[in-house]
Amino acid sequence: MLYNEPSPLEVKIVTKRFGLPNSASLDTYLANDGFKAFFKAIEMTPEQIIDEVKVSALRGRGGAGFPAGLKWSFVPRTSPKPKYVIVNADESEPGTCKDRLLMENDPQQLIEGILIAGRAIDAHKGYIYIRGEYRYLIDVMDRAIAEAYSRGYLGKNIQGTGFDFDIYTHTGAGAYECGEETALLDSIEGKRGIPRMKPPFPAVSGAWQSPTLLNNVETLSAVPPIIRDGGAAFAALGTPKNGGTRMVCLSGHINKPGVYELPVGFNLLRMIYEVGGGMRNGKKLKAVVPGGSSCPLLTADECDIAMDFDSLAKAKSMLGSGGTVILDENTCMVKFALRIMKFYAHESCGWCIPCREGTTWLKKMLQRMHDGGGQKSDIPLIGELSKNMLGRTFCALGDAAAMPTISIVEKFPEDFEAHLNGHPCPYEHSHEAVLV
Amino acid sequence: MTFSPELEAKFAKLLETYPPGRTRSAVIPMLLFAQDEVGHISNELIEEVAKRCKVTPLQVDEVVGYYSMLHRKPMGKYHVQVCTNISCLLTGGEELYHHAEKTLGIGNKEVTADGQFSLEEVECIGACSWAPAVQINYEFHHQVTAERLDQLVGELRKRQ
Ligand SMILES: Cc1cc2nc3c(=O)[nH]c(=O)nc-3n(C[C@H](O)[C@H](O)[C@H](O)COP(=O)(O)O)c2cc1C
Ligand code: SF4
Ligand code: FES
């Protein structure tokens, strides 16, 4: 199902079958270019497949934007142990709701992407790690997998090619941290999701100590179009080194929130005013979370920017996971920072001290500030505490908590000052929710 | 413990899903699927899952404590989960959460006296572009207003 109207500005590559009748069925898939890329990949050598993905300039859609072809090339060619492809369908970064649509509307495309990745790294088993809240998608994927088996697109000797591949679904049970790739590996092994020391990287020693390729749902869903139409065509859609399209999840204070597939490098202001139909109630733009709650925020003045990995890095932010959240002039930035910190404090796995203690302290400070009990010296202290976490935590969750917080205190100090000396929140319209 | 034939079939499939000797991998799915049927994670269930996955009960118990969807105590028949994370916050998720408290007469992670409803303020559930979002058990509800929430709860009250 689609939950919002598409936009005429979209460039539909991974969502091209969305909206077709029975878009999740194998027949619809086959009638609309399905599995063409797989047959092409069978005729290619693994090196050729990986090169094609490199040419496409596809970068990981899970958040870090790591070049996909390069990651694939890290998996050792030969291994005495079996290799695995694991799909990260944990989608928990606040602001992000796209992988859900890819699985719901085109599960066969993901299956084909997994097969091609398997062929490229010589793996014969794949697992899809789906967050527990997405229970209905376990059923959707299981049904799609069963259909693929029944028609010879999975299992032994797929379509007479001699290639064997099995795919299984696996469910999480509520933990943001399990989206971090090494925590995910511990989770799939039946343990608490605590990240692992790197190196060794999963490509060398991942699930069950075997070489493992881990990619996001959207990353793998882009592989069939890349192999089918060529890496160069995909690359040409985006900006240099930032190939293809991206599913952008627009949310917050705009008229037409929704998920839209747009070329990488699409201008953020155009996203807001043309794709998203402009600010709700004609309010002024105050800030944007470019790609999920982990990213430093952009002020309204910084929003005339190409939404690609490198442009955002230059603006000292990140493209992240595609969750673009729009904030209007009535948003209390202290409250916003507090809600983000509550999330990270709640989701910290507790393994390392800077993150476990840092997020809890920052949550308390931001809460006190928002309640009107803050002191002027707290404002720089919130920034300093966050900076002390940066780069000093065991996994990137600590950075993810610190980065937006630093950007908010530095870019919106006036919002913090307005809460000093016992002043009630100037924007307040509701009391606190209770999440602990 | 005895489970429905459907759940037994799921368990059997799970034990074949992972590489040989890796039955520990089935612990989390097994717990969640079992909780869906029996309501919560009892000591007995922990022992049972440990036995089936060939691990110690402690190895199961530590997992239960980590994952937020696994509950040691029974939740309501209808578990109402209201997201208040960023996209929902901006579109009235907090107000909606407080409204749910009033409608149901319970607080966070509490259960109504008749055991029909429980309430939880949750983190992002992946419906940000259609915020504010609510999940009742596994069912998603998008762009939920206070009136819509009351209507949903009203329908479920009638269904009990
Ligand atoms: C705390 C944390 C949470 C993450 N959550 C997710 C997630 O939900 N989904 C996802 O695909 N990647 C997530 N990632 C990124 C993964 O670690 C990993 O980089 C990604 O799945 C790799 O796939 P890609 O290269 O295709 O993006 C998370 C990372 C961190 C540090
Ligand atoms: S940074 Fe946070 S989530 Fe990551 S290992 Fe440390 S405590 Fe756990
Ligand atoms: S922030 Fe509420 S569903 Fe994502």
Side-chain angles (χ1 to χ4, degrees):
Chain A
M1 223 170 110
L2 299 178
Y3 304 110
N4 57 268
E5 285 292 312
S7 159
L9 293 166
E10 284 183 78
V11 175
K12 292 182 165 272
I13 305 295
V14 293
T15 63
K16 115 174 168 160
R17 278 168 291 266
F18 282 26
L20 292 179
N22 288 323
S23 72
S25 78
L26 184 53
D27 281 325
T28 303
Y29 193 60
L30 291 171
N32 293 278
D33 292 336
F35 286 100
K36 281 191 187 155
F38 170 73
F39 288 112
K40 208 167 156 189
I42 288 292
E43 302 296 321
M44 296 162 78
T45 64
E47 290 75 16
Q48 284 171 327
I49 300 174
I50 294 175
D51 281 344
E52 204 61 45
V53 176
K54 282 186 182 162
V55 167
S56 77
L58 172 65
R59 296 174 64 166
R61 302 304 195 226
F66 195 81
L70 192 59
K71 188 189 267 188
W72 291 21
S73 70
F74 292 158
V75 179
R77 199 50 29 97
T78 55
S79 155
K81 293 182 176 172
K83 303 178 204 176
Y84 299 104
V85 177
I86 294 189
V87 184
N88 192 339
D90 193 51
E91 184 156 80
S92 316
E93 171 86 0
T96 317
C97 49
K98 64 187 175 68
D99 296 339
R100 192 181 146 190
L101 295 181
L102 284 168
M103 290 186 279
E104 185 175 331
N105 293 291
D106 204 348
Q108 297 293 346
Q109 176 171 255
L110 177 58
I111 291 175
E112 188 180 5
I114 299 169
L115 286 180
I116 296 168
R119 163 86 185 146
I121 65 156
D122 192 28
H124 298 279
K125 274 194 198 316
Y127 292 88
I128 308 174
Y129 184 106
I130 301 178
R131 66 179 296 187
E133 292 85 349
Y134 286 178
R135 164 57 53 78
Y136 78 107
L137 291 175
I138 301 241
D139 299 335
V140 170
M141 284 313 308
D142 280 347
R143 241 179 284 134
I145 289 168
E147 204 184 359
Y149 272 108
S150 73
R151 306 267 294 272
Y153 286 95
L154 277 175
K156 290 249 171 293
N157 189 17
I158 295 174
Q159 300 295 315
T161 60
F163 183 65
D164 304 336
F165 206 91
D166 293 306
I167 298 181
Y168 307 92
T169 54
H170 176 95
T171 182
Y176 167 70
E177 176 59 3
C178 289
E180 196 281 334
E181 54 187 13
T182 61
L184 185 151
L185 294 171
D186 263 27
S187 180
I188 207 170
E189 291 183 8
K191 302 170 195 161
R192 303 161 73 95
I194 309 280
R196 299 176 180 178
M197 185 73 102
K198 291 189 268 196
F201 287 92
V204 176
S205 177
W208 309 289
Q209 284 98 55
S210 283
T212 303
L213 174 67
L214 253 150
N215 273 131
N216 171 261
V217 172
E218 189 187 347
T219 312
L220 286 169
S221 296
V223 167
I226 287 170
I227 297 300
R228 193 184 60 232
D229 302 330
F234 188 81
L237 295 169
T239 55
K241 296 195 186 126
N242 290 264
T245 55
R246 229 185 140 174
M247 292 179 74
V248 177
C249 320
L250 282 179
S251 71
H253 295 139
I254 48 167
N255 282 319
K256 294 185 196 162
V259 180
Y260 304 99
E261 184 173 4
L262 298 168
V264 178
F266 200 91
N267 181 279
L268 175 55
L269 285 178
R270 288 189 63 209
M271 268 184 202
I272 300 169
Y273 291 99
E274 295 176 29
V275 180
M279 299 298 294
R280 234 172 49 174
N281 304 325
K283 292 266 162 51
K284 256 172 58 193
L285 176 65
K286 182 168 189 174
V288 172
V289 179
S293 63
S294 307
C295 303
L297 278 73
L298 302 173
T299 61
D301 294 340
E302 293 169 320
C303 288
D304 190 5
I305 189 173
M307 290 288 271
D308 63 43
F309 291 100
D310 300 327
S311 303
L312 278 155
K314 217 185 283 166
K316 297 199 167 56
S317 184
M318 300 186 321
L319 190 56
S321 61
T324 304
V325 189
I326 316 298
L327 283 59
D328 76 16
E329 56 189 325
N330 288 0
T331 312
C332 171
M333 300 310 287
V334 179
K335 176 70 169 263
F336 199 74
L338 169 62
R339 187 62 189 84
I340 289 179
M341 196 51 71
K342 268 185 173 181
F343 169 71
Y344 288 107
H346 186 254
E347 300 299 328
S348 166
C349 82
W351 179 250
C352 69
I353 295 161
C355 167
R356 184 185 64 213
E357 301 300 320
T359 52
T360 306
W361 270 104
L362 283 163
K363 180 180 96 172
K364 283 186 190 157
M365 288 182 74
L366 287 162
Q367 179 82 64
R368 189 174 62 193
M369 174 72 66
H370 190 251
D371 290 345
Q375 296 170 6
K376 199 163 170 72
S377 59
D378 286 342
I379 303 174
L381 192 57
I382 289 167
E384 265 168 53
L385 250 173
S386 306
K387 283 184 185 153
N388 272 324
M389 283 167 66
L390 269 189
R392 296 200 174 86
T393 56
F394 192 72
C395 84
L397 187 142
D399 299 325
M403 287 184 295
T405 313
I406 295 168
S407 74
I408 294 173
V409 270
E410 288 184 351
K411 293 180 182 180
F412 302 95
E414 62 285 357
D415 272 27
F416 288 79
E417 273 149 24
H419 287 75
L420 294 177
N421 309 320
H423 283 298
C425 175
Y427 303 94
E428 196 52 275
H429 42 86
S430 150
H431 58 295
E432 287 300 314
V434 293
L435 194 91
V436 277
Chain B
M1 285 176 89
T2 50
F3 303 106
S4 68
E6 296 78 39
L7 189 56
E8 284 294 352
K10 272 191 178 168
F11 284 179
K13 187 176 162 209
L14 273 175
L15 291 173
E16 288 176 0
T17 289
Y18 308 97
R22 303 294 186 173
T23 43
R24 185 172 180 180
S25 288
V27 166
I28 295 157
M30 217 180 253
L31 283 168
L32 190 62
F33 295 155
Q35 173 176 279
D36 290 343
E37 182 163 302
V38 302
H40 74 290
I41 314 278
S42 61
N43 291 340
E44 198 190 2
L45 181 60
I46 287 178
E47 300 272 344
E48 183 71 28
V49 169
K51 196 171 76 196
R52 289 179 186 236
C53 297
K54 302 192 177 68
V55 295
T56 65
L58 185 64
Q59 285 172 319
V60 178
D61 201 5
E62 67 167 27
V63 160
V64 176
Y66 180 88
Y67 293 92
S68 66
M69 291 174 71
L70 301 176
H71 302 295
R72 283 300 249 126
K73 284 191 222 133
M75 287 288 128
K77 183 169 165 197
Y78 302 109
H79 188 46
V80 179
Q81 300 146 85
V82 183
C83 174
T84 61
N85 211 310
I86 51 175
S87 306
C88 293
L89 176 80
L90 297 178
T91 48
E94 265 191 8
E95 292 81 351
L96 188 66
Y97 170 77
H98 291 299
H99 182 81
E101 280 189 328
K102 274 190 220 114
T103 296
L104 297 171
I106 48 177
N108 194 30
K109 297 188 186 171
E110 290 176 1
V111 189
T112 54
D114 60 3
Q116 290 295 308
F117 291 94
S118 47
L119 176 65
E120 189 173 354
E121 184 194 2
V122 291
E123 299 295 3
C124 177
I125 49 178
C128 328
S129 288
W130 317 290
V134 170
Q135 247 190 322
I136 302 182
N137 296 343
Y138 287 110
E139 200 157 334
F140 277 94
H141 301 276
H142 293 155
Q143 282 156 339
V144 182
T145 57
E147 298 72 46
R148 177 73 187 131
L149 187 90
D150 288 350
Q151 193 191 350
L152 286 166
V153 169
E155 282 163 18
L156 293 173
R157 274 202 180 116
K158 265 185 250 150
R159 210 194 290 172
Q160 56 180 275

